[in-house]
Amino acid sequence: MTRIVHISDLHFGRTDVELLDPLVDAVNAAGADLVAVTGDFTQRARNSQYRDARAFLDRFEAPWLAVPGNHDISLDNLWLRFVRPFRRYKDHICKDLFPIHRGEDFVAVGLNTVDQYRWQRGRIRWRQMRHACKIFSDSDESFRVVLAHHPFEQDEDVKKSLMPKAEKAIEQLSECGAHLVLSGHLHRWRAEPFLSRKHGARVLQIHVGTGLSTRLRGQENDFAVLDLSGDEAKVTRMVARNEGFVSDGARSFRYGEDGWRERSDAGSLGTGTAL
């Protein structure tokens, strides 16, 4: 079995400091094979915020893979934003904007969806998409996972604009064998198959809220624990309650000929304080 912990939108510079230790403890207690971090490490891309974010990452016992978020490029320093948008991210977090991690039974690829010209909306980098698809097409691993800050699909009540050509990108990822897309940005939870018109539900999206930020959008601070085995994915939502993170329940999906479908017996997974 492969276990991936997915966290996002830490926003150092605007964090709930009382959640720092509980989040580290909960992530380490999960015993993950990989911690996937989908952007917005900082609130305003300050060096001090990046230093705090890196110190936080260094406390994880498992290897981690990360992509930047729109808050990780400068909003007010226009020279940095337009000329060297990822300099501080590369200095403090990761020099690679197309990171790859191979586990025993999975491969994970990070896509950089940040657009310095459209700070909020994001964009698809098609060269990265082609590279990711080649990796997936040539891969022998059972699970092929994508990390991206911006979502490729969102609920109708979301006021933020979706990335241009997001649906086309999901179609392409589906064609080359991607199984899961992990994203953040909206500070809200979602775990559903993408409803692709062309390929059905062949890609499962796991969209977590914010792990640490005080900028809540009507939901609790959370992160996800993904257990991948055979043709199944169990998704457990961990939420901040009572000075720690506890399970808020789990859903189980099975991959078949027509893509991902939720298991009819998913309710038997129940809820509790332990994974």
Side-chain angles (χ1 to χ4, degrees):
M1 184 188 77
T2 291
R3 173 167 283 185
I4 298 175
V5 166
H6 175 205
I7 63 176
S8 193
D9 294 81
L10 302 171
H11 287 282
F12 277 90
R14 186 142 180 202
T15 57
D16 183 343
V17 295
E18 294 184 355
L19 291 179
L20 285 170
D21 289 342
L23 182 55
V24 171
D25 292 343
V27 170
N28 286 338
D33 298 289
L34 179 71
V35 179
V37 194
T38 53
D40 278 0
F41 288 87
T42 68
Q43 180 65 16
R44 283 291 178 261
R46 308 276 195 264
N47 279 314
S48 59
Q49 295 169 4
Y50 268 120
R51 285 192 291 269
D52 290 341
R54 183 55 194 248
F56 177 80
L57 290 177
D58 287 343
R59 296 175 65 187
F60 291 153
E61 296 170 357
W64 52 265
L65 191 74
V67 293
N70 59 298
H71 279 262
D72 296 325
I73 62 174
S74 181
L75 179 63
D76 47 8
N77 185 323
L78 296 184
W79 186 88
L80 271 180
R81 177 179 169 183
F82 293 118
V83 180
R84 301 287 298 278
F86 302 105
R87 189 185 73 180
R88 290 178 177 175
Y89 176 86
K90 289 181 175 181
D91 287 346
H92 295 280
I93 304 299
C94 181
K95 295 186 182 301
D96 193 351
L97 296 176
F98 183 77
I100 303 167
H101 179 89
R102 293 187 182 274
E104 184 175 342
D105 202 29
F106 72 100
V107 58
V109 173
L111 301 179
N112 176 18
T113 59
V114 177
D115 185 352
Q116 65 266 45
Y117 300 105
R118 288 180 288 190
W119 186 76
Q120 188 70 257
R121 193 172 188 184
R123 68 183 175 96
I124 308 295
R125 287 174 167 80
W126 296 103
R127 180 177 295 181
Q128 286 194 351
M129 286 285 295
R130 290 191 294 271
H131 192 184
C133 278
K134 186 178 188 308
I135 291 171
F136 292 158
S137 297
D138 296 341
S139 173
D140 294 328
E141 287 85 1
S142 297
F143 290 96
R144 295 175 282 278
V145 184
V146 173
L147 281 66
H149 179 65
H150 294 81
F152 292 78
E153 184 178 274
Q154 59 195 33
D155 295 326
E156 292 182 358
D157 64 334
V158 173
K159 296 181 180 179
K160 293 181 179 180
S161 297
L162 189 64
M163 283 190 299
K165 301 183 179 180
E167 184 175 2
K168 177 182 176 182
I170 280 298
E171 301 285 8
Q172 186 169 327
L173 287 171
S174 179
E175 287 177 354
C176 65
H179 292 112
L180 299 98
V181 171
L182 315 183
S183 58
H185 186 55
L186 301 179
H187 293 207
R188 62 194 296 174
W189 172 269
R190 192 182 191 196
E192 300 287 348
F194 285 99
L195 299 180
S196 162
R197 289 196 300 258
K198 186 175 181 181
H199 297 287
R202 294 193 177 277
V203 183
L204 182 65
Q205 63 172 320
I206 309 300
H207 186 86
V208 297
T210 169
L212 291 174
S213 177
T214 58
R215 302 176 70 217
L216 301 173
R217 306 279 165 76
Q219 297 189 9
E220 298 159 295
N221 294 92
D222 67 14
F223 70 93
V225 177
L226 316 177
D227 290 318
L228 311 176
S229 180
D231 59 356
E232 294 189 5
K234 177 184 173 184
V235 184
T236 303
R237 186 186 184 205
M238 302 293 291
V239 299
R241 292 178 189 164
N242 302 322
E243 301 180 355
F245 284 83
V246 299
S247 170
D248 191 44
R251 299 172 65 189
S252 187
F253 300 86
R254 177 171 291 151
Y255 191 85
E257 292 183 0
D258 55 351
W260 291 102
R261 292 290 182 267
E262 187 166 7
R263 283 178 39 177
S264 59
D265 60 344
S268 65
L269 293 169
T271 62
T273 58
L275 294 175

